[in-house]
Amino acid sequence: MQPILLNDFKRQWSEIGDQVRSAVDLVGSSGWYVLGAQVAEFERELARFWGPDHAVGVGSGLDALEIGLRALGLRCGDRVLTTPLSAFATTMAIVRLGGVPVYCDTDANGLLDLDEAEAVLAAEPGIRFLLPVHLFGQCLDLDRLAALRDRFGLTVLEDCAQSIGAAWRGRPTGTVGRLAATSFYPTKNLGAMGDGGAVLTGDAELAAQVRRLRDYGQSAKYQHDEIGWNSRLDELQAAILRAALLPRLGEWTRRRQQIAAAYTAGMRHSGVRLLRPVAGSASCEHLFPVTVAATAREQFEAHLKARGIATGRHYPILIPDQAAMVGVAFVRHGDLGVARELAAGEVSLPIHPQLTSEEVERVITAVNEWPGH
Ligand SMILES: *Cc1c(COP(=O)(O)O)cnc(C)c1O
C-alpha cells in the first residue's frame, strides 16, 4: 500500500516534468535570468487569473508581506492588528519593520475573529493597520473586512499565501486590502519549484513602488531613491509557473474542492470536528484541518500513520508564544483561548490534487475507524 503524503511532489513531477524542462530550456536559451520577459508575462497572467490589475513577483511570501507593509507606509512603532494562528512569517514581516503586532483571538475555524477585532479596534484607536490571514484556503468575510476598514480608517494588507483562488460571495480574496501578498512556496496551491511570492494590488502607484522596493529601491538603473530589498522572482520560477503550474491551478483547485466535499460527506466520527468554511466563503481548500481532543491528538496521528496516512499540524504553537517573540514588543488581547485550543488539537489531513479517489476513501475510512474519541 502506497503511503498517502501531505503533498506528493513526485507525482506532480510526472504530470508536469515535460513542461518544466521546456520552460528551463526557454529561459536558458534566452540568455536573460533576472527580471525579464518571463516574470513580466507571469505577472500579467497572475493578475488576470486573480482579478487585481497589478501583480509584482518577489522572492517569497514573507518578502511580499514585508515589502507590502513598507509600501503601505508602516513605520517603526506602528501597531498592526493580526492573528496569533498563522505561519510565523505573517508576524515576522511586521516585526522586521519595527511594527508592533496586536493579537486578538480566532473564531472556531481558526480565522481572525472579526467581532473581537472590532472590539479591539474600538478600544485601541491607535491601530492603523490590519493584516488578516485567509487561513487554510478559507476566505474571511470580505464585507465585514471592508466595513472595519472604513469604520476605523485602516490600511489593510491581506495575507493570501493560502487563499489563491478563494472568494467571498464571488469576490476574490485579497481585494479589500490595498495590497494582497501571496507565496509560491512549493506546498502552496500555486507552488513553484523553490521560493517565490507576489504582491497584488489595484493601485498602479503602489505596484510601481513595490517594483522599486524589490530591486534595491531603484527608480532607474543605479539610481536609489530608498533602501529596498533584493527580492526578485527569478525568470526560471516565473517560466515554470507560467508553463506548468498556473494553467493547472483552476483544475487542481476543483480537485481539492471535490476531495473536501468527499471528506465532508464521508467523515463521521464524534471525536473528530471538521473545520469547514462558513456560508459565503468559497475555499480553495489549501489544507483540510480537523480537530480532536488535545489529549488524543498523538494517538489520532499515530492511528493514521499506521495506515500510511501523513498528517500535519497548522499550527502547534501560537505566534505570541514562540521563543522568538520573547523580548519583542507585541500586544495580546485576552487569553486567545479559541486559538490556543486549536493549536493544541488541530490535525491537517492530506488534500493535494494528485490524490486518487481510492486514497480519498482510505483517508475517510481511517478517520471513521479511529477507536479514540
Ligand atoms: C507560507 C506562508 C507565508 C510565507 O510564505 P513564504 O513564501 O514561505 O515566505 C506567509 N503567510 C502564510 C499564511 C503562509 O501560509
Side-chain angles (χ1 to χ4, degrees):
M1 209 161 47
Q2 273 197 29
I4 300 177
L5 308 175
L6 272 183
N7 293 101
D8 200 327
F9 295 116
K10 289 184 181 170
R11 276 191 204 170
Q12 180 175 293
W13 180 250
S14 68
E15 208 175 323
I16 67 173
D18 285 342
Q19 282 160 323
V20 172
R21 276 184 288 269
S22 307
V24 172
D25 242 7
L26 185 72
V27 173
S29 62
S30 79
W32 195 282
Y33 304 147
V34 173
L35 294 187
Q38 293 302 315
V39 169
E41 276 302 316
F42 171 68
E43 289 173 344
R44 273 191 283 279
E45 289 166 8
L46 180 67
R48 203 175 310 132
F49 176 89
W50 194 317
D53 285 343
H54 310 278
V56 184
V58 295
S60 69
L62 170 65
D63 285 358
L65 290 163
E66 198 175 323
I67 295 173
L69 286 171
R70 164 73 78 75
L72 290 173
L74 183 87
R75 279 187 306 270
C76 208
D78 282 341
R79 295 182 169 218
V80 184
L81 185 61
T82 190
T83 174
L85 190 71
S86 180
F88 192 62
T90 308
T91 277
M92 244 177 92
I94 299 167
V95 171
R96 284 171 57 89
L97 292 171
V100 178
V102 178
Y103 302 106
C104 70
D105 211 349
T106 67
D107 61 20
N109 265 352
L111 283 75
L112 193 67
D113 184 320
L114 296 182
D115 291 325
E116 295 245 351
E118 187 165 9
V120 168
L121 288 163
E124 243 198 274
I127 300 174
R128 288 204 303 123
F129 291 88
L130 176 61
L131 175 36
V133 180
H134 302 287
L135 199 68
F136 304 137
Q138 301 182 20
C139 196
L140 279 158
D141 181 336
L142 295 185
D143 298 320
R144 284 209 65 194
L145 273 188
L148 289 179
R149 176 196 64 197
D150 296 343
R151 176 175 164 201
F152 296 102
L154 298 170
T155 301
V156 181
L157 192 162
E158 294 172 65
D159 183 338
C160 299
Q162 300 188 2
S163 68
I164 185 168
W168 177 261
R169 301 196 197 288
R171 176 178 186 175
T173 183
T175 54
V176 164
R178 290 185 63 206
L179 290 176
T182 198
S183 163
F184 308 127
Y185 185 75
T187 60
K188 310 292 171 160
N189 284 25
L190 181 61
M193 295 181 68
D195 279 306
V199 170
L200 288 108
T201 179
D203 183 327
E205 186 39 53
L206 265 179
Q209 198 190 347
V210 171
R211 279 179 210 289
R212 291 191 295 271
L213 284 172
R214 74 173 167 184
D215 193 25
Y216 313 128
Q218 289 186 100
S219 55
K221 199 167 184 187
Y222 302 136
Q223 186 176 317
H224 301 271
D225 295 348
E226 53 194 322
I227 300 295
W229 280 256
N230 173 355
S231 182
R232 304 169 294 222
L233 182 67
D234 64 66
E235 286 284 285
L236 272 176
Q237 295 303 338
I240 290 168
L241 285 161
R242 284 190 71 204
L245 297 158
L246 186 56
R248 287 185 167 80
L249 182 57
E251 182 197 322
W252 280 354
T253 303
R254 284 189 290 282
R255 178 65 188 142
R256 285 173 182 273
Q257 289 165 339
Q258 275 175 359
I259 296 167
Y263 282 173
T264 306
M267 287 180 187
R268 291 281 173 271
H269 193 299
S270 60
V272 180
R273 179 171 75 88
L274 312 188
L275 271 54
R276 299 302 300 144
V278 297
S281 165
S283 175
C284 66
E285 309 292 356
H286 173 59
L287 294 169
F288 197 87
V290 304
T291 56
V292 296
T295 48
R297 176 158 69 173
E298 281 184 20
Q299 196 214 352
F300 181 62
E301 291 165 329
H303 165 78
L304 294 173
K305 190 174 177 203
R307 297 192 172 205
I309 299 166
T311 57
R313 292 178 174 184
H314 297 90
Y315 292 88
I317 304 174
L318 292 188
I319 291 172
D321 295 344
Q322 292 285 356
M325 297 303 285
V326 174
V328 169
F330 68 84
V331 179
R332 185 180 49 218
H333 282 272
D335 63 355
L336 311 179
V338 177
R340 207 170 292 286
E341 203 175 312
L342 286 169
E346 191 272 348
V347 176
S348 302
L349 302 175
I351 190 165
H352 61 77
Q354 285 80 27
L355 283 178
T356 66
S357 303
E358 194 196 351
E359 289 169 332
V360 169
E361 287 308 313
R362 256 175 71 196
V363 175
I364 294 170
T365 304
V367 167
N368 290 347
E369 290 179 0
W370 178 43
H373 52 79

